Amino acid sequence: MSEKQHKAEHRNRPTGEAFMAFMREGWAPRSGELPELTDAARYAAVRRQALSATFPGERLVVPAGGLKIRSNDTDYVFRPHSAFAHLTGLGADREPDAVLVLDPLPSGDGHEATLYFLPLADRDSEEFFADSRSGEFWVGSRPTLASAAAELGLSTRHLSELPDAVAKDVGPSGLAVRVVRDADREVAATVDRVREQSGLSSGEQAQEADLGLARTLSTMRLVKDGWEVAQMQEAVDATATAFDAVVEHLPEAVRRGRGERWVEGVFGLHARHAGNGVGYDSICAAGDHATTLHWIRNTGEVRDGDLLLLDAGVETDALYTADVTRTVPVSGRFTEPQRRVYEAVLEAQEAGLAAVRPGNRFKDVHAAAIEVIARHLLEWGLLPEDVTLEQTLDAEEGQFHRRWMVHGTSHHLGLDVHDCAQALREDYVEGELREGMVLTVEPGLYFKSDDLLVPEELRGIGVRIEDDVVVTADGARNLSAALPRTAPEVEAWVRDAGRRR
């Protein structure tokens, strides 16, 4: 549930009966027209059926989460928990404090889905004009129970009915209940109280059951359906357009000073216009900042002669995010050392991309890319003396090359930028690549300015190249292939002010 805000005493609003009566009068009737069932909801229903088959006879509780306070009485923009979005089809900022409950049918064949949420208040209520978090005067119209049911294709109930609904028939001889614990602590606490009061365990055994639900929901997202793949392409296309705009504005980023913030702002403008916003904090790293893997402060200068590493993604209104990285020479031409590093990373990425095909293991992508990285570092004389390629690639005794690429090459991508994070290692890292999986391929090399083990000409150079790919029946499709990737293509892109050839 939403975090509680402190109410300032000096901001009281009128409460007199005459004023209240005046506020209730003179409004045009609300439209009774109901929305159509959305495409997102149709696909969400199929996912609920799959989840139902995994947990027959159990009640499943999936909260959206609540509003979180940024400071004082100001909230962060709401973003629902990914499991909730996946199972309902709701995206953007919908719906704070809502909870999806899957109740087993008496026949034992499947579940009934019910959404508990705070619907649009009547105009004769104080909430209508006085509640700054949910009132129509303050945050705009909300769905009614009827409109949400029509839009999502499931039953709807007022949020106040949730506690009784969760507790009904729970017990040793009745129903077991599971909850997505990390989505909403208060809802999880409510489920724990129900368990205790009904004689069920609420300790380690219950939490392990809840973890099983979370893992299942995470694992379900490993393979995307056709609608989700289309969302991913939409996110990547919008991201590519935003990258073009950043490249176009590089001279302005140089001219204005504090150019990393200018880059961040240009990308954010396009992300917010084309979708829900950015899928994660944008990494806009120029010069030596590009050697910091997650540089999100974005406080630095963008200078001619530097490389700019931009790692960013647009999130669609349905909450699917892209995750793309390009490293570009600000002046439009790589120096010889920059180009040498760039070409090595590109070769590693090509090897990783070639390993993305059905039947291969997820870990094969990293193995293919990192071998190229290690070989180049060996050829450049950066590995310890007498260490061979085979020795540095040894997982137990080697890995010296990881000094300059400490991260993995790939991760799953979808509703979260690091999607499916609670899936087991056997399903994720050791898992077989299957049609419909979407993953990144993103090797890099990072030579910090104070790294005395590398030649001075390489210090301060950071390069990462990242694309988003979907596994197909006979290989893979690069969703972000439209963006320039080779060194000559990237140089032309910068010189042509973001226009792709």
Side-chain angles (χ1 to χ4, degrees), residues 130 175 214 264 342:
L175 295 178
E264 180 183 2
Y342 190 92

Side-chain angles (χ1 to χ4, degrees), residues 358-380:
N360 275 4
R361 301 287 174 184
F362 176 87
K363 64 182 182 181
D364 294 339
V365 181
H366 177 70
I370 202 67
E371 181 175 347
V372 176
I373 292 291
R375 175 168 50 79
H376 278 284
L377 293 170
L378 178 65
E379 292 171 353
W380 296 345

Side-chain angles (χ1 to χ4, degrees), residues 334-342 380 457-458 461:
F334 291 103
T335 65
E336 189 280 327
Q338 290 171 348
R339 192 182 189 100
R340 192 189 333 156
V341 175
Y342 190 92
W380 296 345
E457 64 181 3
L458 296 182
I461 294 177

